Amino acid sequence: MTTLNYDLAVTYYDETRGFRAGVSERYRAAVRRITEAEDGTRFLELAIGTGLIGLPFMAAGDDYIGVDISRGMMRQIAPKLHDLSPPALAQADITDRLPFAADSFDVVQAVRVFHLLGDWRRCISESRRVLKPGGHLIIVEIRRPSDTSAPPPWAVVQDKWGEILRDLGVDSASIRHGNGLTDDMVLNHLCAVGGDTAMIDLLAFDELPVSCRTMVERRAKRMFSNDWALPEDLHSQAARALCEWLENECQRADDFVQQRMVFRAVIARF
Ligand SMILES: C[S@@+](CC[C@H](N)C(=O)[O-])C[C@H]1O[C@@H](n2cnc3c(N)ncnc32)[C@H](O)[C@@H]1O
């Protein structure tokens, strides 16, 4: 799989991937606690996007730099900071050489991006290069807690969408959300390259509520990165089948459900 530039998602990213008020601030507090951050701690965020994670760090005056491959996504950040000083940002492919000197940062974090990367091992080796000795590398994905019972609407629609695409002959690698990377694969790799590692749930939070109808509409509008490579006619055919399923078979299509999720972090110190 190739790098995914989110320029396509700029106009709807915050609406579809945003958090309830206060979640990003609690995330910042959890990261600062776990890394024992102090006033001079230097942070780098890989794939900062529109700043949904980074903004509270920047707004609080942390020494915080973000990189992303998408200038469009990063352009959304400055207006959100209002009168504060402009954010420190750089365009870079995080699976290539990072534009920073060795031993520059105390904390390097990457949230909701490793599942999109091709050469994720290169990203880890570059992160190690720019980390100071003893610094923290934090790789975070959002997961359902292990004790979750009924699947939430987005998971129901995602499964149905996969079934429809398979019936239309799309291969399973294209249907899968992302590169198939698991937290254990990241953890094992970090151990293998000499990291002192841990996997923890940094924070539990409630997602913004969604219904199956909302998720079907988002699929039909191609709002998910794993649909971007589908040919237009195939996507339209699949979207029609999904809408038919919603109207005729889906249980509780309009119930809004708020799912409990966790920020699961794989952390390494070198
Ligand atoms: C799902 S968004 C996550 C953004 C942010 N971390 C968040 O949690 O809201 C993924 C981001 O990764 C960026 N991205 C994907 N591949 C990248 C790469 N190879 N180098 C830099 N950024 C990349 C995309 O442009 C997008 O902004």
Side-chain angles (χ1 to χ4, degrees), residues 212-231:
C212 285
R213 188 174 304 280
T214 325
M215 297 314 290
V216 167
E217 283 166 6
R218 291 178 184 174
R219 282 279 169 207
K221 289 182 188 159
R222 281 182 177 265
M223 288 178 160
F224 297 98
S225 55
N226 55 330
D227 292 342
W228 293 345
L230 285 178

Side-chain angles (χ1 to χ4, degrees), residues 67-104:
V67 298
D68 201 285
I69 202 157
S70 161
R71 288 189 197 280
M73 291 287 274
M74 289 190 291
R75 237 178 254 128
Q76 310 305 306
I77 299 175
K80 298 179 192 171
L81 285 166
H82 305 291
D83 296 333
L84 298 173
S85 28
L89 299 168
Q91 188 192 28
D93 180 344
I94 61 173
T95 60
D96 203 338
R97 191 172 171 83
L98 293 171
F100 306 106
D103 303 347
S104 295

Side-chain angles (χ1 to χ4, degrees), residues 3-4 6 13 47 49 68-70 73 92-94 111-113:
T3 286
L4 278 173
Y6 267 52
Y13 186 82
D68 201 285
I69 202 157
S70 161
M73 291 287 274
D93 180 344
I94 61 173
V111 182
R112 296 196 280 189
V113 68

Side-chain angles (χ1 to χ4, degrees), residues 163-180:
E163 199 183 305
I164 291 169
L165 290 178
R166 257 188 300 277
D167 288 349
L168 289 173
V170 177
D171 67 275
S172 32
S174 324
I175 294 170
R176 184 180 62 196
H177 181 61
N179 55 14

